[in-house]
Amino acid sequence: MSSTWKNNIEITIFGESHGKAIGIVLGNLPSGIKIDLEEVAKEMKRRAPGQDKMSTARKEADKVEIMSGLQDDVTTGAPLCGIIYNSDQHSKDYSLLKEKMRPGHSDYPAFIKYRGFNDVRGGGHFSGRITAPVVFAGAIAKQILAKQGIQIGAHILSIKNEYDENFDMRLSTKTLEYLRRQHYPVINQEKYEKFVNIVDAARMDQDSVGGKVECAIIGLKPGLGEPFFDSIESHLSSLLFSIPAVKSVAFGNDKISELFGSEANDCYYYQDALVKTTSNNNGGITGGISNGMPVVFTVGIKPTPSISKEQKTIDVKKHENTTLGVHGRHDPCIVFRATVVVEAMAALAMLDLVR
């Protein structure tokens, strides 16, 4: 089972949802960087479960114990290892899932690949729980990037078929600061209650919903990235698609394929010594390389597959068709807690790019 992503920096994740602990190791970080651990804790709280009805009832503090790589809150250059101990597992809720495969979940392909030895409790290593250490790593990456003038922010763009406003494609740091003050960030506050109502209705019907997160990276200098095999799009996507439940990634204007070339092209102009574009339909990336405008992309997240509503499935022990209603504690919508995860993955990808 692969658990390492390696390029200029190294990322290794470990643990399982109902195991003793989960964690991450970050290798090849720059030394001598002061880290604000209070800010890291705030990022962890944004993803932590059990805070309200928009998330699972599972209670986890998500407090990170740093084992190496940090001394007096300063990076030492050694691999930075963070561990989060699990404390609120209800493993008995998953006893049937060794035999009955959850529709839409990893159970069946994992059963085949790992010959039935994979840990199904809470999804095991496939669980969104593993994104907690990713958020920790992303919080570190964000602080390193901020020293280079690079900032990252995201908001809930949609829940099911209800949409928030899109980013202004030429957005400024003020928008990201506005979103940073919100636990579940949206641009138009009136949309938030509509989002909550949609999720509530699905939850009461023993169902779930998905949605989209829109993320922006500002302050990225032009000229970063490579054409073809290591474009910024492919570099980012390799990490974004590693987030459980992510099914799509789109850069810039997602309607660009419907435009004429004269409409889609981002025309250049000088603003004093800076080169800018009159629009940002390409999301700050052309030819796979940053052009100095904000990098903007949208991530599509599917509905939570574990739902109480009874569905058709198979019993791999009896080799017969059956039905299954998944009981336990699950998010009725993953999107609310996913914004900070998307930001974290984007931060790690950008740190790797500029390292």
Side-chain angles (χ1 to χ4, degrees):
M1 183 179 286
S2 176
S3 62
T4 298
W5 185 88
K6 181 178 179 180
N7 200 49
N8 294 318
I9 63 172
E10 301 172 7
I11 306 168
T12 299
I13 54 174
F14 59 88
E16 292 161 316
S17 178
H18 285 220
K20 184 176 181 180
I22 54 179
I24 196 162
V25 179
L26 281 175
N28 204 26
L29 292 181
S31 60
I33 304 294
K34 181 78 171 179
I35 300 298
D36 183 343
L37 293 179
E38 288 187 8
E39 190 60 33
V40 171
K42 289 179 184 176
E43 292 285 279
M44 297 303 297
K45 189 175 181 181
R46 290 176 61 194
R47 198 221 70 94
Q51 298 185 68
D52 51 45
K53 63 185 178 181
M54 291 300 101
S55 73
T56 170
R58 180 175 178 174
K59 296 282 187 180
E60 296 285 0
D62 282 358
K63 184 177 180 181
V64 184
E65 183 174 342
I66 298 174
M67 309 301 289
S68 64
L70 210 62
Q71 185 173 19
D72 299 324
D73 299 344
V74 177
T75 57
T76 65
L80 198 159
C81 176
I83 289 181
I84 302 168
Y85 291 97
N86 294 322
S87 61
D88 187 23
Q89 308 98 312
H90 287 184
S91 297
K92 61 181 176 57
D93 292 339
Y94 298 89
S95 56
L96 286 176
L97 302 184
K98 276 285 186 182
E99 301 164 8
K100 293 187 176 183
M101 308 286 99
R102 285 170 291 184
H105 216 290
S106 60
D107 294 349
Y108 176 67
F111 173 81
I112 297 297
K113 185 174 179 67
Y114 302 110
R115 298 179 296 133
F117 291 104
N118 56 296
D119 186 352
V120 300
R121 299 170 304 164
H125 191 67
F126 293 87
S127 172
R129 176 93 186 111
I130 312 301
T131 62
V134 169
V135 170
F136 163 72
I140 300 292
K142 282 181 182 179
Q143 292 190 36
I144 297 173
L145 291 169
K147 297 181 187 302
Q148 301 183 43
I150 300 169
Q151 294 187 44
I152 298 169
H155 71 109
I156 302 167
L157 177 61
S158 70
I159 298 295
K160 206 170 187 297
N161 55 0
E162 184 71 39
Y163 276 76
D164 187 18
E165 297 173 14
N166 281 95
F167 277 132
D168 176 344
M169 286 293 182
R170 303 170 73 239
L171 77 160
S172 68
T173 57
K174 289 182 179 179
T175 302
L176 301 191
E177 289 168 1
Y178 168 72
L179 295 174
R180 204 172 289 125
R181 293 193 293 267
Q182 303 175 48
H183 186 69
Y184 295 136
V186 292
I187 293 175
N188 182 347
Q189 287 297 319
E190 293 180 1
K191 292 292 183 178
Y192 180 75
E193 285 304 317
K194 292 183 179 180
F195 289 164
V196 170
N197 291 338
I198 291 170
V199 175
D200 268 345
R203 180 170 55 84
M204 295 301 292
D205 195 33
Q206 298 183 315
D207 217 326
S208 64
V209 290
K212 294 181 180 180
V213 171
E214 187 179 41
C215 187
I217 304 165
I218 62 176
L220 204 62
K221 293 179 180 178
L224 293 170
E226 302 289 342
F228 293 100
F229 300 122
D230 200 20
S231 67
I232 292 183
E233 292 103 328
S234 60
H235 205 72
L236 263 167
S237 295
S238 67
L239 285 178
L240 294 171
F241 277 117
S242 300
I243 302 171
V246 167
K247 302 304 288 184
S248 67
V249 175
F251 290 86
N253 184 346
D254 62 2
K255 302 287 187 183
I256 195 168
S257 61
E258 300 175 10
L259 303 178
F260 288 109
S262 57
E263 298 171 308
N265 289 340
D266 301 313
C267 297
Y268 295 106
Y269 71 96
Y270 279 107
Q271 186 178 78
D272 299 323
L274 295 176
V275 173
K276 298 201 172 193
T277 59
T278 55
S279 57
N280 194 17
N281 290 312
N282 289 276
I285 308 165
T286 42
I289 300 170
S290 60
N291 61 25
M293 296 298 287
V295 171
V296 180
F297 57 92
T298 301
V299 176
I301 299 171
K302 72 176 184 179
T304 315
S306 294
I307 59 175
S308 299
K309 182 171 286 189
E310 194 169 90
Q311 297 182 96
K312 295 178 180 179
T313 188
I314 56 172
D315 186 316
V316 294
K317 184 178 181 180
K318 297 179 179 178
H319 293 274
E320 64 183 24
N321 296 325
T322 186
T323 58
L324 176 68
V326 181
H327 301 290
R329 302 166 299 172
H330 308 100
D331 292 72
C333 180
I334 300 169
V335 181
F336 285 82
R337 295 196 293 138
T339 52
V340 67
V341 181
V342 171
E343 290 176 18
M345 284 298 198
L348 290 167
M350 290 303 99
L351 180 60
D352 187 77
L353 193 68
V354 303
R355 177 72 173 94

